[in-house]
């Protein structure tokens, strides 16, 4: 990862709603626990059933999340997540294996936080970790609300 890409990730993350409860100095602290990475289109971030070890904040690009159905080789697209989204966050809380497959639809830039760094952030900086959690929960709540609205529109 080039220094330019890392600086860009550092700058961009302050614009996302999951970091909205953090001030600049707190974002710097959280940044120490994040890994900025670039993935080319077609990269599988994780497969359904894999052990979970990280969540990712989408800085740039699109990530497709799909779930296997009971029919062989058939999947349901759960969502396509773009800039400002978080994916894989539920596994940080549950420790369960991945419930879905995530693939980069386009070249993507991600800020990843693995489970060890997430736990360290919460232990070493509980107030800052709590603020990050609040932002993540807000993002998930908005996504869930939109899902409810789409389901209601079908019926």
């Amino acid at each position: 990862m080039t220094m330019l890409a890392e600086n860009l990730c550092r700058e961009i993350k302050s614009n996302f709603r999951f970091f909205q409860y953090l001030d600049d100095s707190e974002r710097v602290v959280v940044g120490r626990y994040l890994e900025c990475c670039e993935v080319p289109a077609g990269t599988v971030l994780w497969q359904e059933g894999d052990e979970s070890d990280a969540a990712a904040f989408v800085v740039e690009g699109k990530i497709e999340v799909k779930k296997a159905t009971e029919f062989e080789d058939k999947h349901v697209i759960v969502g396509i997540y773009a800039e400002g989204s978080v994916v894989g966050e539920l596994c940080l809380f549950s420790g369960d294996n991945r419930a879905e497959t995530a693939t980069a639809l386009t070249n993507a830039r991600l800020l990843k936080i693995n489970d060890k760094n997430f736990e360290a952030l919460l232990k070493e900086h509980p107030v800052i970790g709590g603020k990050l959690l609040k932002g993540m929960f807000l993002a998930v709540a908005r996504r869930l609300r939109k899902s409810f609205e789409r389901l209601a529109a079908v019926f």
Side-chain angles (χ1 to χ4, degrees):
M1 169 82 33
T2 66
M3 185 60 78
L4 177 62
E6 288 195 22
N7 288 337
L8 181 59
C9 283
R10 213 172 283 119
E11 290 172 22
I12 290 175
K13 70 178 183 250
S14 67
N15 299 325
F16 294 133
R17 64 179 159 239
F18 33 76
F19 295 108
Q20 73 186 22
Y21 298 106
L22 302 170
D23 65 29
D24 289 340
S25 64
E26 292 169 329
R27 279 192 283 275
V28 169
V29 170
V30 171
R32 294 181 199 135
Y33 296 87
L34 300 172
E35 173 192 359
C36 185
C37 62
E38 295 176 353
V39 294
T43 301
V44 175
L45 302 175
W46 58 78
Q47 292 275 357
E48 186 172 338
D50 286 353
E51 288 186 28
S52 60
D53 64 350
F57 302 100
V58 182
V59 174
E60 186 178 289
K62 292 184 180 176
I63 306 297
E64 175 189 73
V65 176
K66 63 185 179 180
K67 175 82 176 150
T69 68
E70 63 187 66
F71 304 104
E72 188 174 337
D73 296 325
K74 300 292 180 190
H75 296 84
V76 172
I77 296 174
V78 176
I80 296 176
Y81 303 104
E83 182 179 310
S85 298
V86 58
V87 293
E89 71 285 351
L90 297 179
C91 292
L92 285 179
F93 307 123
S94 70
D96 294 339
N97 287 352
R98 298 289 184 181
E100 71 285 313
T101 297
T103 305
L105 287 178
T106 64
N107 292 340
R109 184 172 291 128
L110 308 172
L111 290 168
K112 292 173 64 176
I113 186 164
N114 65 39
D115 53 356
K116 290 181 179 82
N117 282 351
F118 183 69
E119 290 297 326
L121 172 65
L122 292 174
K123 181 178 179 182
E124 296 165 12
H125 303 280
V127 172
I128 295 172
K131 289 180 179 183
L132 177 61
L133 279 172
K134 185 175 181 179
M136 291 171 69
F137 282 135
L138 178 63
V140 172
R142 286 182 179 154
R143 186 165 65 203
L144 189 57
R145 178 173 289 146
K146 287 180 183 178
S147 294
F148 291 160
E149 290 169 1
R150 284 192 299 271
L151 280 172
V154 171
F155 299 101

